[in-house]
Amino acid sequence: MADLSAFGSPEMKALFCMEEGYTPMNNGSFGAIPKSVQDARTNWLAKIERNPDLFYNYEYYQELDRALEPVARILGLKNVDDIVNSVLKSLKQILRGQGKFPSTKKQKIFIMSSTYTHVYGAVKHTALNDGFEILEMKVHYPISEKDLLKNVEEAVNAEEESGREIVLAVYDAIVSLPSVILPFEQLSSYFRKKGILACVDGAQAIGQIPLDLTKLDADFFISNPHKWLYVPRGCAMLYVKKELQEFMVHPLANTPVQGNWRSAFTWPGTTDVSNFLSASASVAFRESIGGEAAIMNYCHNLAINGGRIVAEKLGTTVLLGTGDLGSRRIGDDYYSAMVNVQLPWTKHISDRGGDSFLGGLKETLMREHKIAIVAFQHGTKCCLVPFEHFVQLETGGRKS
Amino acid sequence: MTFDGPPPAFGSKEMRAQFSLDPKYIATNHGSFGAAPKLVIEERIKQMLYIEHNPDTFCKIDYDGVLDKALEPVAKICGLDDVSEIVFTVNATTGVNAVLRRLRSKPKRSFFCPLFMETYLTRLITTAINDQFVPLQLDIESPISDSDLIKKVEALIERERTDGNDIVLAVYDIVSSIPGIVCPYVELTRLFQRHNILTCIDGAHAIGQVPLNLKTLKPDFLVTNLHKWLFVPRGCCVFYCSRRFHGVIRHPVISEVRPGDWRRGFHWVGTTDVSAYLTAPAAIGFREWIGGEDAIMAYNHNLAIKGGEIVAKKLGTFIMRGIGQGESTFGNGLTASMVNVAVPETPVVTEQFMNGLQVYLLKEWNCGTAPYKHGGRYWLRLSAQVYLNEEDFENLANILRKVFFPFAINFVHLVPPN
């Protein structure tokens, strides 16, 4: 068990596996784990190796469920029945089950222009493969929640008036680039009301913002505990509303237990599950250093202050939420542990090749200064600097 | 990673101590989930920590190069000159799915042709393929001579052609799982190639158990699990895809919209843990240190035969042997490192009993087996390995004798002499 070291202290950083001299400001990409979780994982590997037959034939499902329980609690769920340690492959089956497929109407999948690239790839592949079309709604941040919802409603209405049917909507809880929080709760209720399958890509969500899946009116919710929950890499979780569970199919066809939708996901062939099994150690570690709320508060405040420091040094601004006074997620509430600082030198960057310059900037920072960030373009240029609580408030002066 | 000092001898206590297996566990089921030596697991932890030191640098900069480097010794074992036609996947299921998902049919109805199917693969195929295809299973009862098997397959192809059906893909084993026997996969490959049928070889049990040469074999697709017989930690498999399909085959999980090349599409499937892949060179190095591939395979083969005979004698039954005179699979040639012992037909052997046998033997007697039904009777598939010796099989035999003849006094006429 870790001591209650102060957030941001060198002692806290020492509890993690990062190498000396590395400034990991990009937790949002690949996550990071404490040493105690790595140890827990090593112990699991050793336990499995003592008798792989016994583990895989006898203990497998119970142990995975046990590891999933603390994750379920963080999601506000009472038990693990509705979650597994991945939507699109099952779309056709789900629609068939609901009597909607095949259809005479053109069927579309709704996404936003800010959808994560790989999710876009998956949606595009499904569209091509299974005969759907994509409805991509352009969005530019910042945008107030009211305006965003209005735009979505208009886009959906326009499709319906033209006789087309939107069958699925995939949207972020926290967008990746720029890293802002969407009104995913209202979006979910809206889509469900319209009879559109609501799939929340909450990859960045668990461990970064509070969640309650019993209150969230979504059909699917996906998140990556390996990003912000200190679980070793390769761990995702998928929540499926009860009525749709029987249609779920894992992208790797295998041999599920009849009537048990979770088994198809729990056993996609022989794999290493030591990372999933370490989830309880991760949650326990987070409890021991202060708990979910304390961690999220610290990271959010650090992101606010840290973002200001960098913006000041660069002479630019931080991306803030807009909207009427009193509405949610305005100002600094637009983001949680990841902050977006605008880069100056817009003309300079485009002269030097735009994206390739940004790529070079990232690599230079990584190789020469051991600082990890994500630099990207969104309208004007922004730079994403996600913070974690072991980073000191430092004057991160950047040489260009 | 280097391995110093004199290596332990096959079957010795020192060799057993190289593995993490519980010393009290009779580990005669290596074929199901494999086992990795302690030194190799340590190497894996080292790889995990290396990744954790700077996940950004690893995932964004080092990733592809490091994976390619880890594949090089694997390519060598497969007889390939370079890694351009192989990628890592987590398991064989992934590779097979990748192939099945990309099949498209011409207007004419088309068939699959799975042979020697392990049940999981049959069910997988039925669920995986799209509605354009029909699986065509050829039921084989082992043992069967190679020439008879080839004849049956040829007859099937002819029959289907006459009916106007097109077999587009054949899925078959190198070393079959159930029963655990060697198949005439080279002849089958040539046969399918002659008939323009795509060849998808399930070599899940192959690498580390039988010699492989993909350069001369030239199948269209092949999967082989490194975590079964090559001492690599779970889940690690290699998927081989012939050059002409590189623009077509993709990983079943879509990640990058336009991966740099077909290999990148398999190596990067979103953020995952690749520490097992990176351990492949250490596992191969360990095997070289203890004697090399040929020596390991020879020891395992001999022990499988010996061990199988010990168990068969105690049970009053026999081991499965090849019946094709003059063929490579004749007699003990049917056995690689896994031996198939017939279960005695005693009153305790009911379907219910056999269904629970594997877990029962694990929990109550601490021994590993793979029971199955084939050709109207039950069998036990047992695996030999360098950490086992004849005494392990003696101990197993004594336990099995107690299990299958529990009240010897009642079945005195059935119990074989000691």
Side-chain angles (χ1 to χ4, degrees):
Chain A
M1 270 300 188
D3 305 315
L4 246 93
S5 318
F7 291 156
S9 64
E11 291 77 31
M12 180 62 81
K13 184 159 184 194
L15 291 178
F16 286 76
C17 299
M18 259 88 44
E19 61 182 348
E20 279 295 313
Y22 166 51
T23 309
M25 299 220 166
N26 190 20
N27 194 73
S29 276
F30 307 112
I33 57 172
K35 290 182 182 141
S36 62
V37 172
Q38 176 63 45
D39 288 342
R41 183 178 192 190
T42 306
N43 288 341
W44 272 113
L45 285 169
K47 175 175 194 291
I48 295 169
E49 283 312 309
R50 276 180 74 79
N51 194 329
D53 284 285
L54 190 63
F55 175 78
Y56 280 95
N57 282 310
Y58 195 70
E59 302 170 334
Y60 191 79
Y61 289 103
Q62 300 120 277
E63 291 296 351
L64 282 173
D65 276 358
R66 196 173 298 152
L68 209 48
E69 276 162 22
V71 178
R73 272 198 313 271
I74 291 184
L75 296 169
L77 298 169
K78 286 214 185 57
N79 54 43
V80 304
D81 293 344
D82 296 333
I83 54 177
V84 274
N85 299 325
S86 177
V87 168
L88 288 171
K89 198 74 227 160
S90 317
L91 181 59
K92 242 176 35 183
Q93 259 98 325
I94 293 172
L95 292 178
R96 243 189 220 118
Q98 297 190 316
K100 276 199 200 176
F101 186 91
S103 160
T104 46
K105 294 201 197 136
K106 249 203 187 15
Q107 295 181 312
K108 291 196 168 188
I109 302 174
F110 171 92
I111 57 171
M112 295 195 226
S113 56
S114 52
T115 295
Y116 183 58
T117 45
H118 294 189
V119 173
Y120 173 70
V123 171
K124 184 157 171 235
H125 182 83
T126 302
L128 281 172
N129 240 30
D130 294 338
F132 296 100
E133 280 187 16
I134 300 177
L135 173 65
E136 183 178 334
M137 187 186 89
K138 291 245 176 299
V139 61
H140 188 269
Y141 301 101
I143 180 173
S144 72
E145 295 204 330
K146 201 166 75 175
D147 286 341
L148 179 65
L149 290 166
K150 197 166 77 174
N151 289 354
V152 172
E153 261 178 78
E154 277 168 11
V156 172
N157 288 339
E159 289 300 315
E160 290 182 345
E161 274 155 29
S162 325
R164 291 187 287 268
E165 199 186 349
I166 301 182
V167 291
L168 169 73
V170 183
Y171 47 99
D172 293 301
I174 301 179
V175 179
S176 187
L177 300 173
S179 57
V180 298
I181 307 175
L182 294 187
F184 63 98
E185 302 95 333
Q186 290 107 297
L187 283 168
S188 303
S189 302
Y190 170 75
F191 286 124
R192 294 231 338 138
K193 207 171 67 207
K194 296 290 254 170
I196 299 171
L197 290 171
C199 177
V200 182
D201 177 5
Q204 300 274 3
I206 195 172
Q208 202 181 157
I209 55 173
L211 292 168
D212 188 339
L213 294 189
T214 51
K215 298 217 179 66
L216 182 67
D217 192 17
D219 294 298
F220 308 102
F221 184 90
I222 303 161
S223 197
N224 279 338
H226 70 224
K227 278 197 191 295
W228 294 92
L229 207 68
Y230 303 165
V231 179
R233 230 156 279 111
C235 179
M237 52 112 333
L238 166 68
Y239 162 89
V240 179
K241 223 172 184 67
K242 226 173 263 305
E243 310 92 73
L244 301 170
Q245 287 171 2
E246 60 180 287
F247 305 110
M248 294 306 291
V249 171
H250 192 280
L252 296 184
N254 50 65
T255 53
V257 175
Q258 267 296 34
N260 182 348
W261 77 285
R262 300 178 70 240
S263 68
F265 288 80
T266 320
W267 190 292
T270 304
T271 56
D272 168 39
V273 291
S274 61
N275 48 359
F276 295 136
L277 297 171
S278 310
S280 25
S282 308
V283 175
F285 175 84
R286 289 167 72 80
E287 286 295 311
S288 76
I289 62 171
E292 295 297 317
I295 294 172
M296 292 187 211
N297 283 335
Y298 176 83
C299 291
H300 181 51
N301 288 324
L302 180 61
I304 296 174
N305 295 330
R308 295 273 187 297
I309 289 173
V310 177
E312 203 184 292
K313 269 264 148 79
L314 296 180
T316 59
T317 55
V318 164
L319 189 69
L320 295 171
T322 56
D324 304 326
L325 225 56
S327 53
R328 256 186 354 166
R329 298 196 177 131
I330 55 173
D332 287 312
D333 288 340
Y334 204 25
Y335 56 91
S336 181
M338 300 191 287
V339 65
N340 306 274
V341 179
Q342 185 172 342
L343 279 176
W345 333 298
T346 307
K347 184 168 184 315
H348 183 82
I349 292 177
S350 5
D351 286 346
R352 296 252 179 134
D355 284 335
S356 54
F357 173 84
L358 293 177
L361 172 69
K362 260 172 27 191
E363 198 164 324
T364 309
L365 280 172
M366 208 136 46
R367 286 199 200 272
E368 292 177 26
H369 304 280
K370 294 220 163 174
I371 296 176
I373 53 141
V374 178
F376 62 97
Q377 177 183 354
H378 181 80
T380 54
K381 311 266 193 252
C382 293
C383 146
L384 179 159
V385 191
F387 281 75
E388 248 305 357
H389 58 56
F390 42 69
V391 174
Q392 297 271 28
L393 285 179
E394 50 189 72
T395 51
R398 188 173 15 256
K399 304 170 199 139
S400 157
Chain B
M1 183 177 201
T2 51
F3 300 91
D4 303 312
F10 292 154
S12 66
K13 258 211 280 286
E14 294 74 32
M15 180 63 87
R16 179 65 182 237
Q18 288 284 339
F19 290 78
S20 310
L21 294 163
D22 182 356
K24 294 205 243 29
Y25 171 54
I26 303 181
T28 39
N29 190 24
H30 187 91
S32 276
F33 303 109
K38 285 182 188 149
L39 291 172
V40 175
I41 297 189
E42 269 168 37
E43 174 65 18
R44 185 193 189 174
I45 308 292
K46 278 204 201 98
Q47 295 289 344
M48 284 179 183
L49 290 172
Y50 149 64
I51 296 170
E52 288 310 317
H53 276 170
N54 195 326
D56 287 277
T57 301
F58 178 77
C59 291
K60 289 297 219 187
I61 297 181
D62 298 343
Y63 199 81
D64 296 302
V66 160
L67 285 176
D68 279 355
K69 196 131 179 292
L71 266 175
E72 277 164 22
V74 181
K76 238 169 96 215
I77 294 189
C78 295
L80 296 167
D81 293 328
D82 56 50
V83 304
S84 59
E85 287 175 303
I86 54 174
V87 286
F88 282 120
T89 64
V90 171
N91 48 35
T93 305
T94 308
V96 177
N97 266 274
V99 175
L100 299 180
R101 296 255 179 239
R102 298 305 277 187
L103 286 178
R104 292 285 176 271
S105 96
K106 305 196 279 275
K108 214 161 38 160
R109 231 155 62 103
S110 311
F111 284 75
F112 263 112
C113 175
L115 303 187
F116 269 136
M117 281 342 299
E118 174 183 336
T119 41
Y120 97 90
L121 208 44
T122 318
R123 278 182 272 159
L124 180 158
I125 285 174
T126 337
T127 43
I129 57 176
N130 41 55
D131 302 330
Q132 304 165 334
F133 296 95
V134 175
L136 181 68
Q137 179 163 331
L138 181 63
D139 283 319
I140 302 285
E141 191 177 311
S142 307
I144 181 174
S145 74
D146 296 349
S147 52
D148 280 346
L149 174 62
I150 302 286
K151 279 205 209 86
K152 272 194 184 239
V153 176
E154 241 166 342
L156 177 71
I157 298 174
E158 285 312 312
R159 205 170 58 234
E160 292 297 320
R161 284 257 158 84
T162 321
D163 287 347
N165 295 320
D166 209 4
I167 298 180
V168 293
L169 177 80
V171 186
Y172 52 101
D173 297 300
I174 291 182
V175 176
S176 154
S177 182
I178 291 170
I181 57 177
V182 177
C183 308
Y185 69 99
V186 179
E187 292 99 309
L188 283 170
T189 306
R190 300 292 168 247
L191 170 66
F192 291 124
Q193 284 167 342
R194 272 201 305 276
H195 287 271
N196 279 322
I197 297 172
L198 293 176
T199 49
C200 179
I201 304 184
D202 179 7
H205 280 275
I207 196 171
Q209 197 181 169
V210 294
L212 270 183
N213 192 325
L214 298 184
K215 190 168 174 191
T216 51
L217 184 65
K218 286 207 206 325
D220 294 303
F221 313 103
L222 179 139
V223 293
T224 186
N225 278 334
L226 306 191
H227 63 229
K228 274 203 195 296
W229 293 92
L230 209 68
F231 295 167
V232 180
R234 252 157 265 118
C236 181
C237 176
V238 158
F239 170 56
Y240 167 90
C241 177
S242 164
R243 214 170 292 281
R244 60 188 176 131
F245 294 107
H246 286 183
V248 176
I249 298 293
R250 289 199 69 143
H251 194 287
V253 175
I254 306 298
S255 192
E256 287 175 338
V257 180
R258 258 179 309 272
D261 58 28
W262 83 281
R263 298 182 67 247
R264 167 78 182 173
F266 276 83
H267 282 169
W268 184 272
V269 211
T271 304
T272 53
D273 170 36
V274 294
S275 60
Y277 300 169
L278 299 177
T279 320
I284 293 171
F286 178 89
R287 290 168 70 81
E288 262 158 35
W289 175 57
I290 63 173
E293 295 299 319
D294 291 340
I296 294 172
M297 291 189 224
Y299 176 83
N300 288 349
H301 171 68
N302 290 328
L303 180 59
I305 301 293
K306 246 349 222 315
E309 280 167 355
I310 289 171
V311 174
K313 183 146 178 276
K314 272 267 150 72
L315 297 181
T317 59
F318 52 93
I319 70 176
M320 197 186 286
R321 291 195 157 88
I323 56 176
Q325 282 274 11
E327 292 171 352
S328 59
T329 54
F330 179 65
N332 289 334
L334 199 64
T335 298
S337 308
M338 298 190 290
V339 65
N340 303 272
V341 180
V343 164
E345 281 156 341
T346 81
V348 300
V349 177
T350 62
E351 187 175 339
Q352 196 180 29
F353 174 81
M354 288 306 294
N355 284 344
L357 184 68
Q358 185 178 43
V359 176
Y360 171 68
L361 285 173
L362 278 170
K363 291 231 81 184
E364 297 298 325
W365 295 99
N366 214 1
C367 60
T369 62
Y372 62 93
K373 193 168 189 192
H374 184 84
R377 75 175 302 153
Y378 288 100
W379 300 81
L380 292 176
R381 185 193 76 192
L382 307 172
S383 304
Q385 223 356 307
V386 298
Y387 50 72
L388 295 171
N389 52 39
E390 284 177 33
E391 193 184 324
D392 293 300
F393 283 90
E394 296 273 3
N395 295 337
L396 177 69
N398 288 331
I399 289 170
L400 291 174
R401 189 181 162 95
K402 284 202 211 69
V403 168
F404 286 115
F405 303 99
F407 308 111
I409 201 162
N410 292 335
F411 305 132
V412 125
H413 61 288
L414 286 172
V415 179
N418 223 322

